Short mmCIF file of all heavy atoms in Angstrom, two decimals:
data_model
loop_
_atom_site.label_atom_id
_atom_site.label_comp_id
_atom_site.label_asym_id
_atom_site.label_seq_id
_atom_site.Cartn_x
_atom_site.Cartn_y
_atom_site.Cartn_z
N MET A 242 5.22 -4.57 40.36
CA MET A 242 3.99 -4.35 39.61
C MET A 242 4.21 -4.72 38.15
O MET A 242 3.96 -5.82 37.72
CB MET A 242 3.53 -2.89 39.72
CG MET A 242 2.97 -2.58 41.07
SD MET A 242 2.85 -0.84 41.42
CE MET A 242 1.67 -0.30 40.18
N THR A 243 4.71 -3.77 37.41
CA THR A 243 4.94 -4.07 36.00
C THR A 243 6.36 -4.60 35.83
O THR A 243 7.32 -3.85 35.86
CB THR A 243 4.76 -2.83 35.12
OG1 THR A 243 5.42 -1.74 35.73
CG2 THR A 243 3.30 -2.51 34.93
N GLN A 244 6.44 -5.91 35.70
CA GLN A 244 7.75 -6.49 35.50
C GLN A 244 8.17 -6.36 34.05
O GLN A 244 7.42 -6.69 33.14
CB GLN A 244 7.73 -7.97 35.89
CG GLN A 244 7.92 -8.16 37.39
CD GLN A 244 8.15 -9.62 37.71
OE1 GLN A 244 7.50 -10.49 37.15
NE2 GLN A 244 9.07 -9.90 38.60
N ALA A 245 9.37 -5.88 33.87
CA ALA A 245 9.88 -5.75 32.53
C ALA A 245 10.43 -7.10 32.10
O ALA A 245 11.51 -7.51 32.47
CB ALA A 245 10.98 -4.69 32.49
N LYS A 246 9.64 -7.79 31.33
CA LYS A 246 10.07 -9.09 30.85
C LYS A 246 11.03 -8.90 29.69
O LYS A 246 10.81 -8.08 28.81
CB LYS A 246 8.85 -9.89 30.39
CG LYS A 246 9.18 -11.33 30.07
CD LYS A 246 7.92 -12.07 29.65
CE LYS A 246 8.26 -13.51 29.31
NZ LYS A 246 7.07 -14.26 28.87
N THR A 247 12.06 -9.68 29.69
CA THR A 247 13.03 -9.56 28.61
C THR A 247 13.25 -10.90 27.94
O THR A 247 13.15 -11.96 28.57
CB THR A 247 14.39 -9.03 29.11
OG1 THR A 247 14.92 -9.96 30.05
CG2 THR A 247 14.25 -7.68 29.75
N ILE A 248 13.55 -10.83 26.69
CA ILE A 248 13.95 -12.02 25.95
C ILE A 248 15.27 -11.71 25.26
O ILE A 248 15.72 -10.58 25.28
CB ILE A 248 12.90 -12.42 24.88
CG1 ILE A 248 12.79 -11.31 23.84
CG2 ILE A 248 11.56 -12.73 25.52
CD1 ILE A 248 12.09 -11.75 22.58
N ASP A 249 15.85 -12.73 24.66
CA ASP A 249 17.06 -12.47 23.91
C ASP A 249 16.69 -11.89 22.55
O ASP A 249 15.90 -12.46 21.82
CB ASP A 249 17.84 -13.77 23.71
CG ASP A 249 18.42 -14.28 25.01
OD1 ASP A 249 18.54 -13.48 25.95
OD2 ASP A 249 18.73 -15.48 25.09
N CYS A 250 17.29 -10.78 22.25
CA CYS A 250 17.03 -10.15 20.97
C CYS A 250 17.41 -11.12 19.85
O CYS A 250 18.51 -11.67 19.84
CB CYS A 250 17.87 -8.87 20.86
SG CYS A 250 17.82 -8.12 19.23
N PRO A 251 16.48 -11.38 18.92
CA PRO A 251 16.75 -12.34 17.84
C PRO A 251 17.91 -11.91 16.96
O PRO A 251 18.48 -12.73 16.25
CB PRO A 251 15.45 -12.33 17.03
CG PRO A 251 14.41 -11.74 17.92
CD PRO A 251 15.14 -10.81 18.84
N GLN A 252 18.24 -10.65 17.02
CA GLN A 252 19.26 -10.14 16.13
C GLN A 252 20.64 -10.17 16.77
O GLN A 252 21.58 -10.68 16.20
CB GLN A 252 18.92 -8.72 15.70
CG GLN A 252 19.85 -8.17 14.65
CD GLN A 252 19.87 -9.04 13.41
OE1 GLN A 252 18.85 -9.47 12.93
NE2 GLN A 252 21.05 -9.31 12.87
N CYS A 253 20.73 -9.62 17.98
CA CYS A 253 22.05 -9.49 18.59
C CYS A 253 22.19 -10.33 19.84
O CYS A 253 23.30 -10.52 20.33
CB CYS A 253 22.34 -8.02 18.90
SG CYS A 253 21.36 -7.36 20.25
N GLY A 254 21.09 -10.86 20.35
CA GLY A 254 21.16 -11.74 21.50
C GLY A 254 21.16 -11.02 22.84
O GLY A 254 21.18 -11.66 23.88
N LYS A 255 21.11 -9.72 22.80
CA LYS A 255 21.04 -8.98 24.05
C LYS A 255 19.63 -9.03 24.59
O LYS A 255 18.68 -9.25 23.84
CB LYS A 255 21.45 -7.52 23.81
CG LYS A 255 22.92 -7.34 23.51
CD LYS A 255 23.19 -5.86 23.28
CE LYS A 255 24.64 -5.65 22.85
NZ LYS A 255 24.88 -4.24 22.50
N PRO A 256 19.50 -8.81 25.87
CA PRO A 256 18.15 -8.78 26.47
C PRO A 256 17.32 -7.68 25.85
O PRO A 256 17.75 -6.54 25.75
CB PRO A 256 18.42 -8.48 27.94
CG PRO A 256 19.84 -8.85 28.18
CD PRO A 256 20.55 -8.64 26.88
N ALA A 257 16.14 -8.07 25.38
CA ALA A 257 15.24 -7.09 24.79
C ALA A 257 13.96 -7.04 25.60
O ALA A 257 13.40 -8.07 25.95
CB ALA A 257 14.94 -7.46 23.34
N ARG A 258 13.52 -5.86 25.92
CA ARG A 258 12.32 -5.71 26.72
C ARG A 258 11.08 -6.05 25.92
O ARG A 258 10.87 -5.53 24.84
CB ARG A 258 12.21 -4.28 27.25
CG ARG A 258 13.13 -3.99 28.40
CD ARG A 258 13.18 -2.51 28.66
NE ARG A 258 11.84 -1.93 28.77
CZ ARG A 258 11.17 -1.83 29.92
NH1 ARG A 258 11.70 -2.24 31.03
NH2 ARG A 258 9.98 -1.30 29.95
N ILE A 259 10.30 -6.95 26.47
CA ILE A 259 9.00 -7.24 25.87
C ILE A 259 7.98 -6.46 26.65
O ILE A 259 7.41 -6.94 27.63
CB ILE A 259 8.68 -8.74 25.91
CG1 ILE A 259 9.72 -9.49 25.12
CG2 ILE A 259 7.30 -9.00 25.37
CD1 ILE A 259 9.76 -9.13 23.65
N ALA A 260 7.79 -5.25 26.24
CA ALA A 260 6.85 -4.39 26.93
C ALA A 260 6.23 -3.43 25.93
O ALA A 260 6.77 -3.23 24.84
CB ALA A 260 7.54 -3.61 28.04
N ALA A 261 5.11 -2.88 26.31
CA ALA A 261 4.39 -2.00 25.39
C ALA A 261 5.21 -0.78 25.05
O ALA A 261 5.00 -0.15 24.02
CB ALA A 261 3.07 -1.58 26.00
N ASP A 262 6.17 -0.48 25.92
CA ASP A 262 6.94 0.73 25.64
C ASP A 262 8.16 0.45 24.78
O ASP A 262 8.97 1.32 24.52
CB ASP A 262 7.35 1.41 26.96
CG ASP A 262 8.28 0.53 27.77
OD1 ASP A 262 8.43 -0.66 27.42
OD2 ASP A 262 8.84 1.02 28.75
N ASN A 263 8.26 -0.78 24.34
CA ASN A 263 9.34 -1.09 23.41
C ASN A 263 8.75 -1.35 22.02
O ASN A 263 8.29 -2.45 21.73
CB ASN A 263 10.13 -2.32 23.89
CG ASN A 263 11.22 -2.70 22.90
OD1 ASN A 263 11.53 -1.95 21.98
ND2 ASN A 263 11.80 -3.87 23.07
N PRO A 264 8.74 -0.34 21.19
CA PRO A 264 8.13 -0.48 19.87
C PRO A 264 8.91 -1.40 18.96
O PRO A 264 8.44 -1.77 17.89
CB PRO A 264 8.13 0.96 19.33
CG PRO A 264 9.24 1.64 20.06
CD PRO A 264 9.33 0.98 21.40
N TYR A 265 10.09 -1.79 19.40
CA TYR A 265 10.95 -2.60 18.53
C TYR A 265 10.96 -4.06 18.92
O TYR A 265 11.69 -4.86 18.35
CB TYR A 265 12.38 -2.05 18.56
CG TYR A 265 12.42 -0.57 18.36
CD1 TYR A 265 12.92 0.27 19.35
CD2 TYR A 265 11.95 -0.01 17.18
CE1 TYR A 265 12.94 1.63 19.17
CE2 TYR A 265 11.96 1.35 17.00
CZ TYR A 265 12.46 2.17 17.99
OH TYR A 265 12.48 3.52 17.82
N ARG A 266 10.12 -4.41 19.93
CA ARG A 266 10.09 -5.80 20.34
C ARG A 266 9.73 -6.69 19.17
O ARG A 266 8.97 -6.27 18.30
CB ARG A 266 9.10 -5.98 21.50
CG ARG A 266 7.67 -5.66 21.14
CD ARG A 266 6.82 -5.69 22.39
NE ARG A 266 5.42 -5.55 22.07
CZ ARG A 266 4.82 -4.38 21.83
NH1 ARG A 266 5.50 -3.26 21.87
NH2 ARG A 266 3.54 -4.34 21.53
N PRO A 267 10.21 -7.90 19.06
CA PRO A 267 11.04 -8.54 20.09
C PRO A 267 12.51 -8.16 20.01
O PRO A 267 13.35 -8.85 20.59
CB PRO A 267 10.86 -10.02 19.76
CG PRO A 267 10.73 -10.05 18.27
CD PRO A 267 9.99 -8.78 17.92
N PHE A 268 12.83 -7.11 19.32
CA PHE A 268 14.22 -6.70 19.22
C PHE A 268 14.53 -5.72 20.33
O PHE A 268 13.64 -5.13 20.93
CB PHE A 268 14.50 -6.08 17.86
CG PHE A 268 14.15 -7.00 16.73
CD1 PHE A 268 12.95 -6.89 16.07
CD2 PHE A 268 15.02 -8.00 16.35
CE1 PHE A 268 12.61 -7.74 15.04
CE2 PHE A 268 14.69 -8.87 15.32
CZ PHE A 268 13.49 -8.74 14.66
N CYS A 269 15.81 -5.52 20.56
CA CYS A 269 16.21 -4.66 21.66
C CYS A 269 16.24 -3.20 21.23
O CYS A 269 16.18 -2.31 22.06
CB CYS A 269 17.57 -5.09 22.21
SG CYS A 269 18.94 -4.77 21.08
N SER A 270 16.34 -2.99 19.96
CA SER A 270 16.48 -1.61 19.51
C SER A 270 16.01 -1.46 18.07
O SER A 270 15.78 -2.45 17.36
CB SER A 270 17.95 -1.18 19.60
OG SER A 270 18.72 -1.93 18.68
N LYS A 271 15.88 -0.23 17.68
CA LYS A 271 15.44 0.06 16.31
C LYS A 271 16.44 -0.51 15.32
O LYS A 271 16.09 -1.04 14.27
CB LYS A 271 15.34 1.58 16.14
CG LYS A 271 14.87 2.00 14.76
CD LYS A 271 14.79 3.52 14.70
CE LYS A 271 14.26 3.97 13.33
NZ LYS A 271 14.15 5.43 13.24
N ARG A 272 17.70 -0.41 15.68
CA ARG A 272 18.75 -0.87 14.78
C ARG A 272 18.60 -2.36 14.48
O ARG A 272 18.64 -2.78 13.33
CB ARG A 272 20.11 -0.58 15.41
CG ARG A 272 21.26 -0.99 14.52
CD ARG A 272 22.58 -0.62 15.18
NE ARG A 272 23.65 -1.48 14.70
CZ ARG A 272 23.92 -2.67 15.16
NH1 ARG A 272 23.18 -3.16 16.15
NH2 ARG A 272 24.88 -3.40 14.67
N CYS A 273 18.38 -3.15 15.53
CA CYS A 273 18.26 -4.59 15.34
C CYS A 273 17.02 -4.92 14.52
O CYS A 273 17.04 -5.81 13.69
CB CYS A 273 18.19 -5.28 16.70
SG CYS A 273 19.80 -5.41 17.48
N LYS A 274 15.96 -4.19 14.74
CA LYS A 274 14.75 -4.45 13.98
C LYS A 274 14.98 -4.16 12.50
O LYS A 274 14.58 -4.93 11.63
CB LYS A 274 13.61 -3.58 14.51
CG LYS A 274 12.29 -3.88 13.81
CD LYS A 274 11.16 -3.12 14.46
CE LYS A 274 9.84 -3.52 13.81
NZ LYS A 274 8.69 -2.90 14.47
N LEU A 275 15.64 -3.07 12.22
CA LEU A 275 15.90 -2.71 10.83
C LEU A 275 16.85 -3.70 10.19
O LEU A 275 16.68 -4.08 9.04
CB LEU A 275 16.50 -1.30 10.77
CG LEU A 275 15.52 -0.19 11.12
CD1 LEU A 275 16.21 1.16 11.05
CD2 LEU A 275 14.32 -0.21 10.19
N VAL A 276 17.84 -4.14 10.93
CA VAL A 276 18.79 -5.12 10.39
C VAL A 276 18.06 -6.40 10.03
O VAL A 276 18.25 -6.97 8.96
CB VAL A 276 19.90 -5.42 11.41
CG1 VAL A 276 20.72 -6.63 10.96
CG2 VAL A 276 20.80 -4.21 11.57
N ASP A 277 17.17 -6.84 10.93
CA ASP A 277 16.43 -8.07 10.67
C ASP A 277 15.53 -7.90 9.47
O ASP A 277 15.45 -8.76 8.60
CB ASP A 277 15.60 -8.42 11.90
CG ASP A 277 14.98 -9.81 11.75
OD1 ASP A 277 15.74 -10.78 11.91
OD2 ASP A 277 13.78 -9.91 11.48
N LEU A 278 14.87 -6.78 9.40
CA LEU A 278 13.99 -6.52 8.27
C LEU A 278 14.80 -6.50 6.98
O LEU A 278 14.38 -7.05 5.96
CB LEU A 278 13.29 -5.17 8.47
CG LEU A 278 12.26 -4.81 7.39
CD1 LEU A 278 11.12 -5.79 7.41
CD2 LEU A 278 11.74 -3.41 7.62
N GLY A 279 15.96 -5.91 7.05
CA GLY A 279 16.82 -5.87 5.88
C GLY A 279 17.22 -7.26 5.43
O GLY A 279 17.25 -7.56 4.24
N ASP A 280 17.47 -8.13 6.40
CA ASP A 280 17.83 -9.50 6.07
C ASP A 280 16.68 -10.17 5.31
O ASP A 280 16.88 -10.86 4.33
CB ASP A 280 18.13 -10.30 7.34
CG ASP A 280 19.51 -9.95 7.87
OD1 ASP A 280 20.27 -9.27 7.16
OD2 ASP A 280 19.81 -10.38 9.00
N TRP A 281 15.48 -9.93 5.80
CA TRP A 281 14.31 -10.54 5.17
C TRP A 281 14.15 -10.07 3.74
O TRP A 281 13.97 -10.85 2.81
CB TRP A 281 13.05 -10.21 5.97
CG TRP A 281 12.73 -11.24 6.99
CD1 TRP A 281 13.00 -11.17 8.33
CD2 TRP A 281 12.09 -12.50 6.77
NE1 TRP A 281 12.57 -12.32 8.94
CE2 TRP A 281 12.00 -13.14 8.01
CE3 TRP A 281 11.59 -13.13 5.64
CZ2 TRP A 281 11.43 -14.40 8.15
CZ3 TRP A 281 11.02 -14.39 5.79
CH2 TRP A 281 10.95 -15.00 7.03
N LEU A 282 14.24 -8.78 3.56
CA LEU A 282 14.07 -8.23 2.23
C LEU A 282 15.16 -8.75 1.31
O LEU A 282 14.93 -9.07 0.16
CB LEU A 282 14.11 -6.71 2.29
CG LEU A 282 12.93 -6.09 3.02
CD1 LEU A 282 13.09 -4.59 3.09
CD2 LEU A 282 11.62 -6.44 2.32
N ASP A 283 16.36 -8.84 1.87
CA ASP A 283 17.48 -9.32 1.08
C ASP A 283 17.23 -10.75 0.64
O ASP A 283 17.44 -11.11 -0.51
CB ASP A 283 18.75 -9.24 1.93
CG ASP A 283 19.98 -9.09 1.06
OD1 ASP A 283 19.85 -8.48 -0.02
OD2 ASP A 283 21.05 -9.58 1.44
N GLU A 284 16.74 -11.57 1.58
CA GLU A 284 16.47 -12.96 1.26
C GLU A 284 15.41 -13.07 0.16
O GLU A 284 15.56 -13.81 -0.80
CB GLU A 284 15.96 -13.69 2.51
CG GLU A 284 17.06 -14.01 3.51
CD GLU A 284 18.04 -15.01 2.95
OE1 GLU A 284 17.58 -15.98 2.32
OE2 GLU A 284 19.24 -14.82 3.13
N SER A 285 14.34 -12.34 0.31
CA SER A 285 13.23 -12.47 -0.63
C SER A 285 13.63 -11.97 -2.01
O SER A 285 13.08 -12.39 -3.02
CB SER A 285 12.02 -11.69 -0.13
OG SER A 285 12.34 -10.33 0.03
N ASN A 286 14.60 -11.08 -2.03
CA ASN A 286 15.05 -10.59 -3.33
C ASN A 286 16.03 -11.55 -3.98
O ASN A 286 16.37 -11.39 -5.14
CB ASN A 286 15.74 -9.22 -3.16
CG ASN A 286 14.71 -8.13 -2.97
OD1 ASN A 286 13.55 -8.28 -3.36
ND2 ASN A 286 15.11 -7.03 -2.38
N ARG A 287 16.48 -12.50 -3.16
CA ARG A 287 17.52 -13.39 -3.66
C ARG A 287 16.95 -14.76 -4.06
O ARG A 287 17.68 -15.69 -4.32
CB ARG A 287 18.60 -13.56 -2.60
CG ARG A 287 20.00 -13.57 -3.23
CD ARG A 287 21.03 -13.80 -2.14
NE ARG A 287 21.08 -12.71 -1.18
CZ ARG A 287 21.57 -12.83 0.04
NH1 ARG A 287 22.03 -13.98 0.46
NH2 ARG A 287 21.60 -11.81 0.85
N ILE A 288 15.63 -14.88 -4.06
CA ILE A 288 15.03 -16.15 -4.44
C ILE A 288 15.35 -16.44 -5.90
O ILE A 288 15.02 -15.66 -6.78
CB ILE A 288 13.51 -16.12 -4.25
CG1 ILE A 288 13.18 -15.99 -2.75
CG2 ILE A 288 12.87 -17.37 -4.83
CD1 ILE A 288 11.70 -15.88 -2.48
N PRO A 289 16.01 -17.56 -6.13
CA PRO A 289 16.39 -17.91 -7.50
C PRO A 289 15.17 -18.27 -8.34
O PRO A 289 14.26 -18.92 -7.87
CB PRO A 289 17.32 -19.12 -7.32
CG PRO A 289 16.95 -19.70 -6.00
CD PRO A 289 16.43 -18.57 -5.16
N ASP A 290 15.18 -17.82 -9.54
CA ASP A 290 14.07 -18.11 -10.45
C ASP A 290 14.43 -19.33 -11.28
O ASP A 290 15.29 -19.25 -12.16
CB ASP A 290 13.84 -16.90 -11.35
CG ASP A 290 12.58 -17.07 -12.19
OD1 ASP A 290 11.94 -18.13 -12.08
OD2 ASP A 290 12.25 -16.16 -12.96
N PRO A 291 13.81 -20.47 -11.00
CA PRO A 291 14.16 -21.72 -11.67
C PRO A 291 13.87 -21.67 -13.16
O PRO A 291 14.52 -22.32 -13.96
CB PRO A 291 13.30 -22.78 -10.98
CG PRO A 291 12.21 -22.02 -10.31
CD PRO A 291 12.71 -20.63 -10.05
N SER A 292 12.89 -20.89 -13.54
CA SER A 292 12.52 -20.83 -14.95
C SER A 292 13.42 -19.87 -15.70
O SER A 292 13.42 -19.81 -16.91
CB SER A 292 11.06 -20.39 -15.10
OG SER A 292 10.91 -19.06 -14.64
N GLY A 293 14.21 -19.14 -14.91
CA GLY A 293 15.07 -18.16 -15.55
C GLY A 293 14.24 -17.02 -16.08
O GLY A 293 13.02 -17.09 -16.10
N SER A 294 14.88 -15.97 -16.47
CA SER A 294 14.12 -14.85 -17.02
C SER A 294 14.52 -14.65 -18.48
O SER A 294 15.40 -13.87 -18.79
CB SER A 294 14.38 -13.59 -16.20
OG SER A 294 15.76 -13.46 -15.92
N ALA A 295 13.90 -15.44 -19.32
CA ALA A 295 14.17 -15.31 -20.74
C ALA A 295 13.57 -14.00 -21.24
O ALA A 295 12.46 -13.66 -20.86
CB ALA A 295 13.58 -16.49 -21.50
N PRO A 296 14.30 -13.31 -22.05
CA PRO A 296 13.81 -12.03 -22.56
C PRO A 296 12.59 -12.23 -23.45
O PRO A 296 12.56 -13.08 -24.33
CB PRO A 296 14.99 -11.49 -23.38
CG PRO A 296 15.88 -12.67 -23.63
CD PRO A 296 15.64 -13.62 -22.50
N GLY A 297 11.56 -11.48 -23.18
CA GLY A 297 10.35 -11.54 -24.01
C GLY A 297 9.47 -12.73 -23.68
O GLY A 297 8.52 -13.01 -24.38
N ALA A 298 9.80 -13.45 -22.62
CA ALA A 298 9.00 -14.62 -22.29
C ALA A 298 8.08 -14.31 -21.12
O ALA A 298 8.52 -13.96 -20.06
CB ALA A 298 9.90 -15.80 -21.93
N GLY A 299 6.82 -14.50 -21.34
CA GLY A 299 5.87 -14.38 -20.24
C GLY A 299 5.28 -13.00 -20.14
O GLY A 299 6.00 -12.04 -19.97
N PRO A 300 3.96 -12.92 -20.20
CA PRO A 300 3.27 -11.64 -20.04
C PRO A 300 3.22 -11.22 -18.58
O PRO A 300 2.79 -10.14 -18.27
CB PRO A 300 1.85 -11.93 -20.56
CG PRO A 300 1.67 -13.41 -20.37
CD PRO A 300 3.06 -14.01 -20.49
N ALA A 301 3.69 -12.12 -17.68
CA ALA A 301 3.65 -11.83 -16.25
C ALA A 301 4.56 -10.66 -15.93
O ALA A 301 4.39 -9.99 -14.93
CB ALA A 301 4.08 -13.04 -15.45
N ASP A 302 5.52 -10.42 -16.77
CA ASP A 302 6.42 -9.30 -16.55
C ASP A 302 5.71 -7.97 -16.77
O ASP A 302 6.10 -6.96 -16.28
CB ASP A 302 7.62 -9.40 -17.49
CG ASP A 302 8.58 -10.48 -17.06
OD1 ASP A 302 8.61 -10.81 -15.85
OD2 ASP A 302 9.26 -11.03 -17.93
N ASP A 303 4.64 -8.02 -17.55
CA ASP A 303 3.93 -6.79 -17.88
C ASP A 303 2.44 -6.96 -17.63
O ASP A 303 1.69 -7.35 -18.53
CB ASP A 303 4.19 -6.45 -19.35
CG ASP A 303 3.63 -5.07 -19.70
OD1 ASP A 303 3.17 -4.37 -18.78
OD2 ASP A 303 3.62 -4.73 -20.87
N PRO A 304 2.03 -6.73 -16.38
CA PRO A 304 0.62 -6.94 -16.00
C PRO A 304 -0.31 -6.05 -16.82
O PRO A 304 -1.47 -6.38 -17.03
CB PRO A 304 0.58 -6.56 -14.52
CG PRO A 304 2.00 -6.50 -14.07
CD PRO A 304 2.83 -6.24 -15.29
N GLU A 305 0.16 -4.92 -17.23
CA GLU A 305 -0.67 -4.01 -18.00
C GLU A 305 -1.01 -4.62 -19.35
O GLU A 305 -2.01 -4.33 -19.97
CB GLU A 305 0.05 -2.68 -18.20
CG GLU A 305 0.28 -1.93 -16.89
CD GLU A 305 -1.03 -1.50 -16.25
OE1 GLU A 305 -1.96 -1.17 -17.00
OE2 GLU A 305 -1.12 -1.50 -15.00
N GLY A 306 -0.10 -5.47 -19.81
CA GLY A 306 -0.34 -6.16 -21.06
C GLY A 306 -0.02 -5.29 -22.25
O GLY A 306 -0.23 -4.08 -22.22
N GLY A 307 0.51 -5.91 -23.28
CA GLY A 307 0.80 -5.17 -24.49
C GLY A 307 -0.29 -5.41 -25.51
O GLY A 307 -0.12 -5.13 -26.69
N LEU A 308 -1.40 -5.95 -25.03
CA LEU A 308 -2.46 -6.31 -25.96
C LEU A 308 -3.44 -5.18 -26.13
O LEU A 308 -4.10 -4.77 -25.18
CB LEU A 308 -3.20 -7.55 -25.43
CG LEU A 308 -2.31 -8.78 -25.21
CD1 LEU A 308 -3.11 -9.87 -24.50
CD2 LEU A 308 -1.77 -9.31 -26.53
N PRO A 309 -3.57 -4.69 -27.30
CA PRO A 309 -4.62 -3.68 -27.55
C PRO A 309 -5.97 -4.35 -27.48
O PRO A 309 -6.22 -5.33 -28.15
CB PRO A 309 -4.31 -3.20 -28.97
CG PRO A 309 -3.47 -4.27 -29.60
CD PRO A 309 -2.78 -4.99 -28.47
N HIS A 310 -6.81 -3.88 -26.58
CA HIS A 310 -8.03 -4.60 -26.35
C HIS A 310 -9.23 -3.82 -26.84
O HIS A 310 -9.49 -2.75 -26.38
CB HIS A 310 -8.14 -4.88 -24.83
CG HIS A 310 -8.89 -6.12 -24.55
ND1 HIS A 310 -8.70 -7.30 -25.23
CD2 HIS A 310 -9.82 -6.40 -23.64
CE1 HIS A 310 -9.48 -8.22 -24.73
NE2 HIS A 310 -10.18 -7.71 -23.76
ZN1 ZN B 458 19.41 -6.42 19.50
#
């Protein structure tokens, strides 16, 4: 009836259940999901800034703005 379809876990390569009862799909476990998420966050935090971050340069650093309006 309900076949438990499995795929290879993107994180560890073990069979991961693709079923409604697996909240961590397509990962096999909570741990793999968190590890993958951590990788993503780590990557996005590591994006090099080509313009560099010169001190005092750019109001983008302060959306509130230092301008008395
Ligand atoms: Zn896994």
Side-chain angles (χ1 to χ4, degrees):
M242 287 164 64
T243 46
Q244 276 190 318
K246 188 178 179 182
T247 62
I248 63 164
D249 291 340
C250 172
Q252 187 58 44
C253 71
K255 290 179 185 175
R258 283 168 51 90
I259 298 298
D262 64 349
N263 177 12
Y265 311 118
R266 63 188 187 279
F268 303 98
C269 69
S270 66
K271 181 179 182 179
R272 182 178 155 277
C273 282
K274 184 173 184 175
L275 290 179
V276 169
D277 189 75
L278 183 64
D280 283 349
W281 268 100
L282 293 177
D283 206 31
E284 284 294 317
S285 59
N286 283 338
R287 220 183 295 159
I288 294 177
D290 188 358
S292 65
S294 44
D302 286 334
D303 188 7
E305 295 295 325
L308 302 172
H310 209 44

